[in-house]
Amino acid sequence: MKFDKEKMRLYAITDRHWLNGRSLKEVVKESLDGGVTFLQLRDKNSDDETFLQEAAELQELCRDYKVPLIINDNVEIALKMNADGVHVGQSEKLGPVKILGVSARTVEQALLAQERGADYLGVGAVFATGSKADAAELPHETLKAICEAVSIPVVAIGGITAENISQLKGTGICGVAVISAIYAQNNIKEA
């Protein structure tokens, strides 16, 4: 799938914590029906076989919606299933035919990731978040400085809700990445 920064407007990241008895495929479909434009499969606990099986199911669903599916931190699975891309820390490289997202917290990290071939950056946590215990809140001035320093798209991540999203206006981001703002809600499609 060709990389298109417009697809990054609403970037959802899966989290099993919010399933409440529903299947991952079911909640992802609801979120796609509701307008999610980019999806990251994040699963820190499943074995590779389970992860690959679920990734393949979600890939089929995402392709029906023409939404890129990115795999979190597992380059081998992303390559094995021919995923649209992978989101990693600061060190991986997949090559030109895949979407490569990289996490960054400083201008220096952002510039290095761009230089090494990142297609987009995930920057945060822009607000306090319960999804990643070690994520300290990033000043919005730093987010803005990163956006100004790089030419690739920047997606804000971390603690973003319907109530605080407006505080990111003017920072230069091209979209937001959310977990609980979608998947923790009773009506995922509406959220």
Side-chain angles (χ1 to χ4, degrees):
M1 183 173 291
K2 183 178 175 290
F3 180 68
D4 176 5
K5 76 176 189 175
E6 293 300 314
K7 288 280 189 184
M8 304 195 79
R9 190 167 308 267
L10 184 54
Y11 183 140
I13 301 170
T14 64
D15 188 332
R16 296 186 166 287
H17 180 77
W18 305 109
L19 291 180
N20 297 320
R22 297 172 292 177
S23 73
L24 187 59
K25 186 175 180 180
E26 180 184 354
V27 299
V28 166
K29 182 177 184 333
E30 284 182 54
S31 70
L32 293 168
D33 286 339
V36 162
T37 58
F38 207 83
L39 185 75
Q40 181 185 127
L41 176 57
R42 180 176 178 229
D43 187 342
K44 304 284 188 182
N45 301 314
S46 293
D47 60 72
D48 280 357
E49 186 177 322
T50 303
F51 189 92
L52 183 59
Q53 182 180 348
E54 283 192 330
E57 285 180 9
L58 293 184
Q59 183 178 44
E60 187 178 319
L61 186 61
C62 286
R63 290 205 170 139
D64 289 345
Y65 285 81
K66 295 182 177 32
V67 168
L69 175 66
I70 305 298
I71 303 300
N72 179 270
D73 277 343
N74 195 324
V75 175
E76 291 77 24
I77 294 267
L79 289 170
K80 189 179 285 188
M81 64 172 287
N82 195 27
D84 296 310
V86 66
H87 186 94
V88 297
Q90 285 281 309
S91 61
E92 299 284 354
K93 181 130 175 106
L94 274 181
V97 297
K98 299 293 181 190
I99 299 167
L100 178 61
V102 178
S103 298
R105 288 190 49 84
T106 66
V107 170
E108 293 75 19
Q109 287 178 347
L111 289 168
L112 183 61
Q114 177 177 265
E115 180 184 315
R116 290 182 174 170
D119 293 301
Y120 74 91
L121 299 173
V123 176
V126 293
F127 300 105
T129 178
S131 297
K132 198 167 185 183
D134 63 344
E137 201 168 328
L138 184 83
H140 294 173
E141 298 77 33
T142 303
L143 174 63
K144 187 173 184 176
I146 290 170
C147 290
E148 291 170 353
V150 298
S151 59
I152 58 177
V154 173
V155 176
I157 186 169
I160 300 168
T161 65
E163 293 75 31
N164 66 18
I165 193 170
S166 64
Q167 294 176 39
L168 299 174
K169 190 173 184 171
T171 58
I173 60 171
C174 75
V176 294
V178 296
I179 300 173
S180 62
I182 292 176
Y183 295 117
Q185 307 310 307
N186 290 329
N187 187 330
I188 291 171
K189 182 177 177 181
E190 187 178 298

